[in-house]
Amino acid sequence: MNTAVTVRELIQSAATKLAQAGCDAAKLDAELLLMFVWSIARTDLIIRAHDPVPEAIQESFYTLIQRRAQREPLAYIIGEKEFWSRSFQVTPDVLVPRPETEHLIEAVLEYFPDQKGHYHFCDIGTGSGIIGITLACEYPNAHIIATDISEPALKVSETNAIKHCVENRITFKQGDMLEPLEKTEIAFNAIISNPPYVAEHEMEALEEELSHEPRNALTDESDGLTFLTDILTGGPSYLQTGGFIMLETGPCGLPDTPNTLNFERIIHDLAGHARGGIYRFTA
Ligand code: SAM
Ligand code: GLN
């Protein structure tokens, strides 16, 4: 490799390669990967734009660009993703946190404005732990139960809980949907979940990046509604009267509301699309 290649030239050629591979934010990804392999800040990319890049850095960078060109998610390559302004470890055992899931956090903050409250929250299908851990950080007196069927995912979420110093207020439980709650005596203030809701027939049309994510984090292998329905029908048994269920959803929409719950409202994303629902247990 030519050692006289400058920062600007290297980013430009990598961005072209990534764009040809179909990556959306090709230049940004190239910049982030160079910052990652070289341990430099974004400002350095500008200050050093005309400096040569050391050959060893070029080689490491090129390896990562090859991976990204195979459409491996950037978050898996650099091993982290930001959610609600905090950094979370991510591995291929967990879904890459999505910005739209932040709407669930907004909803909890809106319905539970007293951040000093001693609440009990439950996060079903916690994955990297982003929902439960963010709530533990935002509500320093809250206790959280976070569940997942995947043991490798729970290892990642436990690491993230320690990273954010909330491991004493989160209990992680392995099991199928609400089943791990059966032995708990807690009546929750809210159950929050971003369950797998991609319908089986939608899987093939998804961006290539999603084929690197755990399939059972994305789809119920059916119409997308299975887990949403399970949580809405089973959830009220574990809620205080007046407690909430807050769900993220996608193109499959939301299932019919069971009689035990009142539908409060739809959650919309910034583009105005319906991305979830809020329900209240009033019985
Ligand atoms: N909460 C994380 C987030 O918002 O990024 C991950 C959400 S991901 C869409 C769904 C999660 O549900 C995955 O971590 C997956 O392992 C878990 N899951 C899939 N089937 C499950 C089941 N039957 N019971 C419990 N969790 C399940
Ligand atoms: N939001 C994911 C997507 O990009 C789906 C995650 C889920 O099924 N909960 O399709």
Side-chain angles (χ1 to χ4, degrees):
M1 200 174 280
N2 182 354
T3 49
V5 175
T6 68
V7 168
R8 179 173 291 174
E9 287 163 351
L10 191 66
I11 288 174
Q12 192 49 54
S13 69
T16 304
K17 186 174 167 66
L18 294 184
Q20 283 164 353
C23 298
D24 271 350
K27 179 147 186 274
L28 178 64
D29 286 2
E31 290 172 349
L32 290 170
L33 287 172
L34 187 58
M35 287 159 59
F36 174 71
V37 284
W38 210 356
S39 299
I40 56 171
R42 175 162 284 279
T43 46
D44 291 322
L45 296 179
I46 300 160
I47 297 164
R48 301 189 194 180
H50 301 289
D51 291 356
V53 180
E55 199 166 339
I57 298 292
Q58 284 186 51
E59 275 168 22
S60 310
F61 176 67
Y62 184 69
T63 305
L64 301 191
I65 290 294
Q66 293 282 75
R67 286 172 61 185
R68 184 70 191 103
Q70 300 295 315
R71 306 291 294 275
E72 185 174 342
L74 187 87
Y76 289 159
I77 301 173
I78 66 177
E80 65 175 1
K81 177 79 184 177
E82 193 175 292
F83 181 81
W84 204 260
S85 302
R86 295 184 183 92
S87 169
F88 288 82
Q89 183 200 98
V90 293
T91 74
D93 289 321
V94 298
L95 187 92
V96 175
R98 309 283 205 267
E100 54 266 31
T101 305
E102 295 186 338
H103 293 302
L104 286 177
I105 306 298
E106 282 166 7
V108 178
L109 285 166
E110 182 187 331
Y111 282 83
F112 297 92
D114 174 13
Q115 289 184 243
K116 298 209 170 76
H118 292 250
Y119 301 118
H120 290 278
F121 296 130
C122 178
D123 172 13
I124 303 283
T126 194
S128 58
I130 51 164
I131 297 173
I133 292 168
T134 300
L135 293 177
C137 293
E138 296 297 320
Y139 293 90
N141 296 316
H143 282 83
I144 285 99
I145 291 192
T147 76
D148 208 289
I149 200 154
S150 157
E151 274 190 46
L154 285 170
K155 287 211 167 61
V156 176
S157 53
E158 281 164 1
T159 302
N160 279 320
I162 293 166
K163 176 174 178 173
H164 292 293
C165 305
V166 294
E167 73 276 17
N168 295 337
R169 287 184 295 109
I170 300 197
T171 307
F172 292 98
K173 288 180 180 282
Q174 198 243 334
D176 185 13
M177 285 287 118
L178 300 162
E179 175 264 329
L181 305 183
E182 278 168 19
K183 293 196 186 87
T184 62
E185 301 284 304
I186 300 162
F188 292 97
N189 296 92
I191 295 172
I192 302 106
S193 183
N194 170 21
Y197 54 67
V198 179
E200 201 259 336
H201 74 269
E202 291 165 349
M203 286 298 288
E204 267 189 31
L206 296 180
E207 283 181 352
E208 277 179 53
E209 277 77 1
L210 278 81
S211 67
H212 293 262
E213 297 186 284
R215 189 175 166 99
N216 76 342
L218 291 166
T219 181
D220 62 354
E221 307 292 352
S222 176
D223 59 1
L225 294 170
T226 315
F227 295 125
L228 296 162
T229 306
D230 286 352
I231 296 167
L232 287 181
T233 50
S237 315
Y238 303 103
L239 285 177
Q240 297 180 13
T241 301
F244 293 90
I245 295 180
M246 301 182 180
L247 299 177
E248 180 174 319
T249 190
C252 68
L254 290 161
D256 293 338
T257 307
N259 295 336
T260 45
L261 292 171
N262 279 351
F263 185 70
E264 288 275 314
R265 68 174 165 85
I266 288 179
I267 298 172
H268 289 98
D269 65 17
L270 297 173
H273 300 127
R275 288 313 308 259
I278 301 176
Y279 304 80
R280 192 168 192 157
F281 176 51
T282 52

